[in-house]
Amino acid sequence: MNPAPFRALARVVPAAALLLVMTACTDDSPPSSAASSSELGSPQASTAPAATTPTGRTSAMNIRLILDGHRIAATLNDSPTARDFAAQLPLTLSLSDLNQAEKVADLPRKLSTSGAPEGADPEVGDLAYYAPWNQLATYYRDAPYATGLVILGHMADGGAERLATADEITIEAAR
C-alpha cells in the first residue's frame, strides 16, 4: 500500500473543511425588516455585490473621463487611495506621454496610500496613482510592474485608444 495519496489527502482535507466552515458562516442575505421599502416610501439600497472591472478589481464609483471632447465611462475601485482621488473631482489635467505606454498628469495634492500594496502591474485602460511623483497615470499600452503604483480604477473599452492621442483629460463623477 502506497501512503503518498493518503498524505496528500491529509493536507487537502483540513483546508477544504476550513473553506466550508468559513462559507457556512458568511451571511450575504439582506436583513429583514417589518416594513418593505416601498411601504416606507424610500428606495431600497442595493444588496448586490459591487461591480467588477475586466481586471477583477472591485469598483466603487462610476466616473466620466473627457478626452479631447470625447466622453469615456470609467470606474474607480473601493480603495482609500481611489476614494481620496474621487474627493478631488472634478479635475482637468494636462497630459504628458511617458514611455509610449501611458499618459501622466500632476495632481493638485498627494493622495493617501494607506493600505495600498507596494506596487502594481498596470493593464491597458487602468487609471493609477504613481505616489513617488504625485501623478495620475493612465495606460493605453501594456506597462511593467512599478513600485509606488496604486491602481485606482479602469476605463471602459475604447478609452485607451482615445487616451493615446489626448493632451488633456477631465475627470468627473458620473451622474
Side-chain angles (χ1 to χ4, degrees):
M1 179 172 183
N2 184 357
F6 292 109
R7 280 192 296 246
L9 188 60
R11 285 191 299 262
V12 173
V13 169
L18 179 62
L19 180 62
L20 286 172
V21 168
M22 291 183 69
T23 304
C25 292
T26 305
D27 182 14
D28 290 335
S29 61
S32 61
S33 66
S36 72
S37 60
S38 59
E39 291 170 332
L40 298 174
S42 64
Q44 183 173 349
S46 171
T47 57
T52 56
T53 64
T55 59
R57 297 168 179 147
T58 303
S59 62
M61 179 181 188
N62 291 323
I63 60 171
R64 179 177 27 255
L65 311 177
I66 302 171
L67 298 167
D68 293 335
H70 299 279
R71 293 171 185 243
I72 306 293
T75 54
L76 294 178
N77 61 39
D78 190 21
S79 69
T81 308
R83 288 191 300 270
D84 196 17
F85 176 72
Q88 292 189 34
L89 300 181
L91 288 172
T92 298
L93 306 167
S94 295
L95 295 170
S96 301
D97 196 81
L98 184 65
N99 301 322
Q100 297 180 333
E102 63 187 284
K103 296 284 183 148
V104 297
D106 294 328
L107 290 174
R109 66 169 174 79
K110 288 193 171 284
L111 301 179
S112 166
T113 55
S114 172
E118 183 178 305
D121 186 6
E123 297 178 8
V124 172
D126 274 351
L127 306 171
Y129 175 58
Y130 187 60
W133 295 350
N134 189 44
Q135 289 185 322
L136 173 68
T138 53
Y139 292 86
Y140 63 91
R141 288 205 178 107
D142 193 34
Y145 175 93
T147 300
L149 189 69
V150 180
I151 303 297
L152 300 174
H154 195 82
M155 47 183 124
D157 292 341
E161 292 82 20
R162 293 234 184 255
L163 178 63
T165 59
D167 294 322
E168 183 178 86
I169 187 171
T170 297
I171 309 149
E172 56 192 28
R175 297 171 219 242

